[in-house]
Amino acid sequence: MKSTFFRDPDNIVYADINQFAENFGKETGINDLRERIEAFRANPTKEGEVLKGTKRTAIRLLIPDLVFEGEEKIEMGENVWVYLGEMYEVYCLYWPVEGAEGDNAKAD
């Protein structure tokens, strides 16, 4: 796993946790994917966490800024990412800010 892979925009899919977790959990056979991502987000480790699904899949949850500590920071590298290997895209997960849409409304 190389940091250059995580810097290449052609490899990255930015995904809203609310849309990603349920769908991807079904695809991989990890029924409690959202809860496991939330738990990892609360207590991340440098080496990440490998989750095994029931459909012959395994994914790694990681925080790139922890994994590649000492190197130049990666854009959104403080977020949880889902890594499936260098032959696949990597998913950078984000949590939308509550009420953010209404904050941009014009005041009369």
Side-chain angles (χ1 to χ4, degrees):
M1 201 167 44
K2 299 176 183 161
S3 66
T4 54
F5 179 81
F6 293 85
R7 295 180 196 288
D8 184 346
D10 292 335
N11 298 330
I12 304 167
V13 175
Y14 296 94
D16 179 330
I17 187 66
N18 297 318
Q19 297 170 358
F20 175 83
E22 184 176 347
N23 292 332
F24 203 74
K26 287 178 184 175
E27 287 181 30
T28 58
I30 304 171
N31 296 329
D32 58 347
L33 182 59
R34 173 71 183 250
E35 292 79 17
R36 308 241 345 237
I37 291 170
E38 295 285 357
F40 180 76
R41 182 181 183 210
N43 296 299
T45 60
K46 182 175 181 165
E47 50 282 337
E49 182 177 346
V50 175
L51 305 179
K52 294 182 180 177
T54 59
K55 298 184 179 182
R56 299 181 64 179
T57 56
I59 64 173
R60 178 182 298 274
L61 303 179
L62 58 95
I63 309 280
D65 285 354
L66 290 177
V67 173
F68 305 112
E69 192 173 29
E71 296 184 33
E72 182 181 337
K73 299 284 185 190
I74 293 171
E75 185 176 344
M76 294 184 72
E78 71 281 358
N79 289 25
V80 176
W81 292 47
V82 177
Y83 179 76
L84 296 113
E86 290 191 7
M87 299 300 292
Y88 299 93
E89 295 170 319
V90 63
Y91 296 89
C92 173
L93 304 180
Y94 64 89
W95 281 252
V97 178
E98 294 292 322
E101 291 179 32
D103 294 344
N104 295 328
K106 284 188 174 181
D108 291 290

